[in-house]
Amino acid sequence: MPVPHDVANLALSNQGVRRIEWAAREMPVLRLIRERFGREKPLNGIRMACCLHVTSETANLALALRDGGADVRICASNPLSTQDDVAAALVHEYGISVFAICGEDNDTYYRHIHQALEHGPQLTMDDGADVVATLHKDRRDLLPGVVGGTEETTTGVIRLKAMAKDGALGYPIVAINESDTKHLFDNRYGTGQSTIDGIIRATNVLLAGKNIVVAGYGWCGRGVASRARGLGAQVIVTEIDPVKALEAVMDGFRVMPMAEAATVGDFFITLTGDVNVVDRSHLEVMKDGAIMANSGHFDAEINLKALTAMSEGRRRVREHVEEFRIADGRKLYLLGEGRLVNLAAAEGHPAAVMDMSFANQALGAEWIANNHHTLKNEVYELPDEVDDQIARLKLHAMGVKIDYLTDEQRRYLTSWQEGT
Ligand code: ADE
């Protein structure tokens, strides 16, 4: 009997298995955690609802949780990011419940979240806080049974902190994004490479010599800007934060308001976590042929309503490229429906960075399962020791050795009596 599921096609399972195994090669830290989880069963019998991008990397996380004893249900955290072959393999080969179909409409997306909640989770795992939001809005009856949760991404952490501030959060959450071994690597190198990967796969346009406007200079924006420069693009950064703007200038990028950048950009990539960063006024002055992509969590960063209203016609010109014919004759292009371009048009972050993000997720689930009795309904960070442990395991897997403090150096660093 297959486990409860709703996936596109179970016949894709073999291909999914090969893909999951390929990702596993680059996930040595998660592999060690999975082996320990298999021996120690730290999540024994715990029901988990996981709302994550259903990718080959996520499959490896799910296997670690399963081997740790958890009863895992997974739904998608984005309608376009599911790898249908991976979803099929999880159900058919590994016996894990998945509710996710690539290209699902909004109703199906939320139905799948509800299905993932149907076994009454004790732990939630989110990427964008949609499970937490659905539990708090529509399934409050399940809240008393939930002891804790984890959250993967910046946008989700912002939502959850807002809930905690309002006293609306029903259980404690670990903000995985706040770990150094998450955001310094996944957000920067993962988003950097996979966003460019998505744009190239979608368009096959040469980036060298193009004006690429990067909106937002957080860790994700920094990653994309540096990779785009590496490919020979002229990178322009837009920011609202003066410190980040200054950092972008000193990193050698041109910085200007979006109103100005809009007139010169060939590509626009949004990574701010906010709405209408590319707004109607910007769309009005863009060059004919400008290409827009979003790599922030929600499809709210480019004003799609305005774009649609300004257009006389639209058509799909390549698999992930939509052409909008503006009334004044210009053509503007949107990639991946304005959703996360790295997951819509490519395969998301490479496994080597998800190794660290999901090591944090697995250890975060274990930490909250062990510590929830002592926690308030707030947003917590994982202890620094966990970050250090993940970094050391990753270095070990990469064959990189580092120095250790001598006793003399340790004494020096902890003494207030040393001076000139
Ligand atoms: N978020 C970004 N890239 C991802 C990936 N490859 N798998 C799961 N979640 C992701």
Side-chain angles (χ1 to χ4, degrees):
M1 262 291 274
V3 290
H5 67 275
D6 188 16
V7 301
N9 182 0
L10 286 180
L12 299 173
S13 173
N14 284 346
Q15 184 182 307
V17 170
R18 287 195 295 275
R19 206 164 173 183
I20 293 166
E21 289 173 355
W22 179 253
R25 293 172 58 256
E26 290 273 271
M27 305 184 85
V29 179
L30 192 61
R31 179 164 61 243
L32 287 173
I33 292 171
R34 180 177 170 189
E35 283 163 13
R36 178 173 68 76
F37 273 20
R39 292 189 302 276
E40 297 177 5
K41 304 281 177 210
L43 302 173
N44 212 13
I46 294 182
R47 293 183 301 279
M48 294 187 68
C50 305
C51 183
L52 301 168
H53 301 295
V54 183
T55 65
S56 54
E57 293 77 25
T58 300
N60 281 286
L61 169 63
L63 293 174
L65 300 173
R66 181 202 67 177
D67 287 3
D71 171 3
V72 179
R73 285 191 170 207
I74 305 179
C75 58
S77 59
N78 182 299
L80 292 187
S81 62
T82 299
Q83 295 168 357
D84 286 326
D85 50 357
V86 168
L90 279 170
V91 173
H92 186 255
E93 183 72 22
Y94 303 110
I96 293 175
S97 272
V98 180
F99 306 91
I101 297 173
C102 186
E104 61 196 12
D105 60 22
N106 225 39
D107 288 349
T108 312
Y109 177 78
Y110 279 101
R111 176 165 54 78
H112 283 158
I113 292 182
H114 279 272
Q115 284 175 295
L117 290 173
E118 249 158 39
H119 70 338
Q122 293 147 301
L123 284 186
T124 62
M125 188 174 274
D126 251 312
D127 187 339
D130 278 348
V131 152
V132 172
T134 305
L135 263 172
H136 284 72
K137 277 193 248 164
D138 305 335
R139 290 303 309 263
R140 296 195 68 82
D141 57 307
L142 296 177
L143 273 180
V146 185
V147 299
T150 64
E151 168 54 51
E152 169 83 3
T153 200
T154 318
T155 296
V157 172
I158 291 169
R159 283 175 100 184
L160 293 163
K161 283 190 173 161
M163 284 177 80
K165 191 157 163 263
D166 286 353
L169 189 59
Y171 54 89
I173 299 274
V174 188
I176 300 302
N177 188 66
E178 308 307 278
S179 298
D180 286 346
T181 47
K182 198 283 182 178
H183 64 261
L184 293 178
F185 298 88
D186 169 310
N187 301 26
R188 181 168 35 169
Y189 304 116
T191 307
Q193 177 166 318
S194 62
T195 299
I196 299 292
D197 184 19
I199 290 171
I200 292 175
R201 288 198 208 192
T203 63
N204 197 26
V205 167
L206 182 72
L207 301 188
K210 297 286 193 325
N211 288 333
I212 297 193
V213 179
V214 175
Y217 204 65
W219 288 112
C220 295
R222 288 177 178 108
V224 170
S226 101
R227 269 43 189 164
R229 172 159 65 191
L231 285 165
Q234 313 272 348
V235 178
I236 296 167
V237 170
T238 70
E239 248 304 337
I240 49 88
D241 179 323
V243 177
K244 289 188 180 134
L246 198 55
E247 195 183 349
V249 172
M250 302 228 176
D251 285 346
F253 298 110
R254 291 169 70 198
V255 176
M256 60 182 76
M258 183 58 90
E260 228 174 284
T263 62
V264 293
D266 300 302
F267 284 88
F268 295 83
I269 308 171
T270 52
L271 309 101
T272 70
D274 212 337
V275 296
N276 298 339
V277 176
V278 172
D279 213 345
R280 186 180 185 114
S281 60
H282 309 127
L283 296 167
E284 277 165 356
V285 296
M286 276 183 191
K287 296 197 294 194
D288 180 32
I291 296 174
M292 291 172 277
N294 167 51
S295 213
H297 188 79
F298 289 118
D299 58 345
E301 305 210 12
I302 299 167
N303 189 340
L304 302 179
K305 258 199 197 136
L307 181 59
T308 308
M310 289 163 64
S311 304
E312 282 186 335
R314 60 198 272 186
R315 61 180 183 137
R316 190 162 291 276
V317 290
R318 286 169 64 94
E319 193 184 352
H320 298 294
V321 185
E322 218 173 352
E323 179 185 84
F324 289 79
R325 201 159 30 80
I326 310 296
D328 60 17
R330 288 174 305 139
K331 288 176 180 150
L332 299 179
Y333 296 92
L334 179 70
L335 308 189
E337 299 176 15
R339 296 190 189 274
L340 281 164
V341 72
N342 59 340
L343 282 141
E347 294 173 69
H349 303 350
V353 287
M354 294 317 293
D355 187 30
M356 287 189 283
S357 310
F358 285 164
N360 276 287
Q361 281 284 17
L363 297 182
E366 180 182 34
W367 186 80
I368 206 141
N370 288 338
N371 292 289
H372 66 89
H373 310 97
T374 61
L375 304 177
K376 301 198 189 105
N377 293 347
E378 286 173 8
V379 178
Y380 290 85
E381 293 181 19
L382 272 179
D384 288 346
E385 300 83 73
V386 176
D387 240 349
D388 285 355
Q389 186 194 346
I390 292 170
R392 284 194 191 284
L393 288 172
K394 190 72 173 175
L395 286 168
H396 176 72
M398 296 165 87
V400 178
K401 295 196 175 73
I402 61 171
D403 288 322
Y404 288 85
L405 291 174
T406 62
D407 288 344
E408 180 194 31
Q409 287 170 331
R410 195 182 308 280
R411 268 198 307 279
Y412 180 84
L413 289 178
T414 51
S415 164
W416 53 270
Q417 282 163 340
E418 308 280 351
T420 317

